[in-house]
Amino acid sequence: MYSRLDLEWSVYPCGTAEFLLELLRDEWQRCPVSDSSLQGMTDPRFLHSKDEAAGREPGNNPWE
C-alpha cells in the first residue's frame, strides 16, 4: 500500500481480499489508508457500477 501522506510503501501480510475486509471491519490497529470513511462498515458489500446505475430508479437506492 502506498501512502500519499507519508510518501512511502507499506507491506501487509495478507492478500487483497483480506486486506479490504479487515479495512471495512476496522480491524487494523492503524488505518492503512488516508480516508477513514470506509472503516467500521456494518454491512460491507460490492456493487458493480452497472448494477448501481440500473438500481438508481426514482426513489430507489441500491445501497440501502
Side-chain angles (χ1 to χ4, degrees):
M1 175 67 63
Y2 184 73
S3 171
R4 294 179 289 171
L5 298 174
D6 300 326
L7 302 177
E8 64 183 26
W9 287 95
S10 298
V11 177
Y12 292 88
C14 59
T16 303
E18 184 179 351
F19 176 87
L20 292 173
L21 188 57
E22 290 185 26
L23 174 67
L24 295 173
R25 290 180 176 169
D26 197 17
E27 294 177 351
W28 293 108
Q29 288 183 349
R30 180 176 175 259
C31 182
V33 297
S34 58
D35 180 6
S36 62
S37 67
L38 297 175
Q39 290 180 288
M41 295 181 76
T42 56
D43 186 24
R45 57 192 160 165
F46 173 79
L47 185 61
H48 191 280
S49 59
K50 291 179 182 179
D51 297 327
E52 181 180 11
R56 287 231 178 254
E57 298 174 3
N60 185 29
N61 183 349
W63 289 102
E64 293 180 342

